[in-house]
């Protein structure tokens, strides 16, 4: 049997070693790290990545119609302020932020502002550091936002004072707080974390958590039809409810509320 040449043998050994290391890292990340280590190859590519601007900024436009945020790790805070004229965004981290790791943002011709965690790339990560994103929305602009969407992987997400036809929040891990919100439809989903929402909702509210509880604070005269599902949890309400066709009715039952919690409890409380 012909023996392999030494350079080729070394090359094959190195390739096999890297392949074995990748498997070990993947297993440890999924088991010990709970998927939060984010080690190995990461696919964070998005369309028109070269058109995005880097870093925090003040967006000098009064024509922003919708906002979409995609954040990997850390926290996202979006809130309305009275004095500002333009929307601003900033990011912070306890660790140094590289040029490639800086946030990216792009304002499309349709008035949609998109914010990304970092540059568009397929890259190898030895752990992704947390970053805190803060977006300040002028009060004059808040009422013209048609849609606000925040997607996270391992994030704490907080939204305050929004006025929008639709607000959608989704994160794989992390608690979500939506406060003083005035919108048509609210959708919040988290794989692992609690949900707290307060405000006035006219069309629909959907709250979903695999591992966590939910709290919904609404005005005393709220009109809702609530469907609550949980394997082990229960629902507590400060507002008077009546049961109709398996749903809990508050007022006229105009807003359809669906709460899906695997094991958590739900509290329906009176907004102060």
């Amino acid at each position: 049997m012909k023996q392999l040449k030494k350079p080729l043998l070394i090359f094959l050994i190195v390739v096999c070693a890297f392949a074995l290391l990748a498997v070990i890292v993947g297993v440890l990340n999924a088991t010990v790290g709970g998927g939060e280590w984010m080690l190995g190859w990461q696919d964070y590519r998005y369309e028109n990545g070269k058109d995005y601007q880097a870093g925090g900024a003040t967006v000098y436009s009064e024509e922003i119609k919708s906002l979409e945020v995609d954040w990997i790790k850390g926290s996202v805070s979006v809130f309305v302020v009275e004095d500002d004229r333009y929307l601003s965004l900033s990011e912070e981290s306890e660790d140094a932020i590289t040029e490639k790791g800086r946030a990216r943002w792009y304002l499309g011709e349709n008035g949609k502002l998109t914010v990304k965690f970092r540059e568009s790339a397929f890259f190898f990560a030895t752990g992704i550091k947390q970053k805190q994103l803060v977006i300040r929305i002028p009060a004059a602009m808040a009422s013209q936002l048609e849609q606000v969407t925040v997607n996270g992987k391992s994030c704490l997400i907080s939204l305050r004072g929004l006025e929008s036809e639709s607000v959608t929040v989704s994160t794989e891990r992390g608690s979500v707080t939506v406060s003083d919100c005035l919108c048509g439809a609210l959708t919040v989903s988290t794989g692992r974390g609690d949900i707290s929402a307060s405000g006035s909702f006219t069309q629909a509210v959907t709250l979903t958590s695999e591992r966590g509880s939910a709290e919904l604070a609404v005005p005393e005269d709220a009109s809702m039809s609530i469907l609550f599902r949980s394997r082990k949890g229960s629902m507590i309400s400060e507002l008077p409810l009546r049961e109709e066709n398996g749903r809990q009715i508050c007022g006229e039952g105009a807003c359809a509320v669906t709460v899906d919690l695997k094991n958590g409890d739900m509290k329906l409380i009176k907004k102060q």
Side-chain angles (χ1 to χ4, degrees):
M1 183 176 178
K2 190 176 181 180
Q3 292 185 342
L4 293 174
K5 294 183 178 180
K6 188 174 182 180
L8 179 59
L9 181 61
I10 294 174
F11 173 76
L12 292 175
I13 292 174
V14 171
V15 170
C16 292
F18 272 104
L20 179 60
L21 178 63
V23 172
I24 294 174
V25 167
V27 171
L28 290 175
N29 184 38
T31 54
V32 180
E36 295 187 16
W37 289 357
M38 299 179 188
L39 302 176
W41 289 103
Q42 306 290 323
D43 189 356
Y44 194 71
R45 292 174 290 185
Y46 45 88
E47 293 183 359
N48 305 318
K50 294 183 180 180
D51 295 333
Y52 282 68
Q53 299 189 52
T58 297
V59 184
Y60 294 102
S61 174
E62 298 179 352
E63 302 301 322
I64 299 176
K65 302 297 183 183
S66 62
L67 171 66
E68 181 175 314
V69 178
D70 185 82
W71 211 246
I72 297 178
K73 192 173 184 180
S75 66
V76 176
S77 299
V78 182
F79 55 89
V80 175
V81 291
E82 293 293 334
D83 300 330
D84 293 7
R85 180 178 178 183
Y86 299 109
L87 181 147
S88 65
L89 59 98
S90 61
E91 63 175 337
E92 295 182 353
S93 176
E94 294 182 356
D95 303 286
I97 303 176
T98 64
E99 179 62 28
K100 293 182 178 181
R102 295 172 71 192
R104 297 303 198 265
W105 64 272
Y106 173 72
L107 180 60
E109 295 181 357
N110 58 356
K112 178 181 179 180
L113 177 64
T114 304
V115 181
K116 298 289 188 178
F117 185 80
R118 54 158 293 148
E119 73 165 0
S120 175
F122 184 73
F123 63 99
F124 187 85
T126 56
I128 295 177
K129 304 299 184 182
Q130 296 187 18
K131 295 194 299 179
Q132 291 72 48
L133 174 68
V134 176
I135 299 178
R136 295 162 58 96
I137 301 175
M141 183 184 295
S143 60
Q144 72 183 30
L145 288 177
E146 298 172 358
Q147 186 169 8
V148 175
T149 303
V150 180
N151 296 314
K153 188 172 181 67
S154 180
C155 301
L156 298 176
I157 299 175
S158 175
L159 312 179
R160 187 179 79 237
L162 296 179
E163 298 179 35
S164 178
E165 295 179 10
S166 174
V167 175
T168 302
V169 182
S170 176
T171 181
E172 294 181 18
R173 303 174 193 87
S175 297
V176 178
T177 301
V178 180
S179 58
D180 300 323
C181 181
L182 177 61
C183 67
L186 171 67
T187 302
V188 179
S189 174
T190 177
R192 184 184 302 173
D194 297 329
I195 300 171
S196 176
S198 69
S200 297
F201 314 98
T202 58
Q203 299 174 13
V205 175
T206 302
L207 309 178
T208 305
S209 178
E210 288 293 318
R211 297 182 183 179
S213 59
E215 180 179 283
L216 180 61
V218 295
E220 188 175 4
D221 60 352
S223 178
M224 299 180 299
S225 171
I226 304 170
L227 177 61
F228 171 69
R229 291 187 289 244
S230 178
R231 293 182 183 178
K232 299 180 180 179
S234 59
M235 176 178 170
I236 301 172
S237 175
E238 293 182 356
L239 300 176
L241 300 174
R242 64 183 186 278
E243 185 172 351
E244 293 182 6
N245 300 321
R247 303 180 73 95
Q248 301 296 321
I249 309 299
C250 177
E252 299 299 321
C255 178
V257 178
T258 302
V259 180
D260 265 311
L261 307 174
K262 188 173 183 180
N263 296 312
D265 298 325
M266 176 192 174
K267 292 182 179 180
L268 179 64
I269 63 178
K270 187 187 305 181
K271 188 176 183 299
Q272 301 298 324

